[in-house]
Amino acid sequence: MTTLWTDVVVVARHDTTPRIAVFDLARADGDELWEYEPGAHIDVQVGEAGPVRQYSLCGPPGIRKQYRIAVLNEAASRGGSRAMHALAEGDTLRVAAPRNRFGLTSARRHLLLAGGIGITPLLSMAQSLDATGADYHLHYCARSRTEAAFVPELENNPRVTLHFDDEAPGQRLDLRRDVGEPAADTAVYVCGPGGFMDYALGRAAELGWPASALHKERFSASPTAAGSDGGDADGFAVRISSTGAEYPVPGDQSVLDVLLANGFDAPYSCGQGICGECIVRVRAGVPDHRDDVLTDDERAEGLFTPCSSRSRTPILELEL
């Protein structure tokens, strides 16, 4: 599988907070960009050898002349957000076709819970739900109003509640009050930093919400997903179902590393088990799932992320 890329130009850039910049991107050749559904993200690469990072599309779906993304300048940046924040209008970069593992589901009511920069995919969802007249409510949490992106676009919307830590204590997000008891016709969507995700998902589970009603997207792998043992000292082997060939997977390499080293055209992007680009199917063996993207049903169906997950058996057979 080959990832589709195109060159784009920064046609507009503005800083919505001291640490969050919003970029509008258009194709360098003037053609339209790919269609996408709310919740989708794109891979972005600055420079020919620059890092590839994933950013949610936060503009209204259906507008193909431009994509809009918002980028937080991470204090612990590995280079991606710093490179993005150095861009100005007229600069060029590359983007890949959108992918979506966080789309709107079929539900009568939608509850959107955003923490910090996690507003980006949920903003697109809210815009789409507004356009169709669907029943939804967006709860947007941030440390302060000055650190929250898109406040002017959201603060007068009656279907949006803003929660800021430095304002009235009773205004903070309360899952029992703001989400309530489980409802069979309601879907809950959560996106934000790890601590926010853990709180919101954990509290929702305590209130009785089933995993099937909770939809999430993380920007980095959770400690639980990463595994507690730090890897497999003895490793295991991966078998290719189409040929029977076996390749050792040492403790310091991923299944994806081994596949790429042996010439397989394996798609991948984040390398953390959070985007879903590298998903394959297990034919035999017991996976040790360490991703933050697959649902329990998908794992039961045999889906597997070779970039982050490992094996609990000496041989793991993949459908390749």
Side-chain angles (χ1 to χ4, degrees), residues 81-155:
S81 67
R82 281 200 303 270
M84 290 296 299
H85 274 252
L87 294 172
E89 291 184 17
D91 286 340
T92 60
L93 56 155
R94 300 175 72 222
V95 303
R99 297 190 304 274
N100 198 346
R101 297 277 308 172
F102 191 48
L104 289 167
T105 62
S106 178
R108 185 192 65 81
R109 187 165 188 252
H110 306 267
L111 293 175
L112 316 177
L113 310 181
I117 195 63
I119 186 62
T120 49
L122 299 182
L123 179 61
S124 178
M125 291 182 182
Q127 292 166 335
S128 177
L129 293 167
D130 266 330
T132 59
D135 185 2
Y136 82 94
H137 200 91
L138 167 63
H139 294 273
Y140 180 22
C141 308
R143 292 176 179 173
S144 69
R145 188 175 294 268
T146 58
E147 295 184 42
F150 306 112
V151 170
E153 294 95 318
L154 295 171
E155 60 185 346

Side-chain angles (χ1 to χ4, degrees), residues 113-256:
L113 310 181
I117 195 63
I119 186 62
T120 49
L122 299 182
L123 179 61
S124 178
M125 291 182 182
Q127 292 166 335
S128 177
L129 293 167
D130 266 330
T132 59
D135 185 2
Y136 82 94
H137 200 91
L138 167 63
H139 294 273
Y140 180 22
C141 308
R143 292 176 179 173
S144 69
R145 188 175 294 268
T146 58
E147 295 184 42
F150 306 112
V151 170
E153 294 95 318
L154 295 171
E155 60 185 346
N156 296 319
N157 187 331
R159 294 184 174 186
V160 176
T161 301
L162 303 176
H163 305 270
F164 301 120
D165 291 351
D166 63 349
E167 296 186 5
Q171 186 206 53
R172 294 184 180 182
L173 181 69
D174 182 316
L175 267 287
R176 181 173 292 281
R177 177 194 66 202
D178 298 322
V179 175
E181 302 295 327
D185 60 354
T186 300
V188 179
Y189 309 81
V190 186
C191 187
F196 174 82
M197 300 281 295
D198 295 341
Y199 163 73
L201 294 169
R203 188 73 181 99
E206 290 174 2
L207 291 170
W209 284 86
S212 59
L214 301 175
H215 309 276
K216 66 182 188 296
E217 183 167 79
R218 291 184 182 268
F219 295 137
S220 60
S222 65
T224 301
S228 59
D229 59 6
D232 305 279
D234 297 329
F236 57 95
V238 62
R239 176 187 295 151
I240 309 304
S241 63
S242 60
T243 65
E246 295 183 7
Y247 305 96
V249 182
D252 61 350
Q253 293 185 33
S254 69
V255 174
L256 179 63

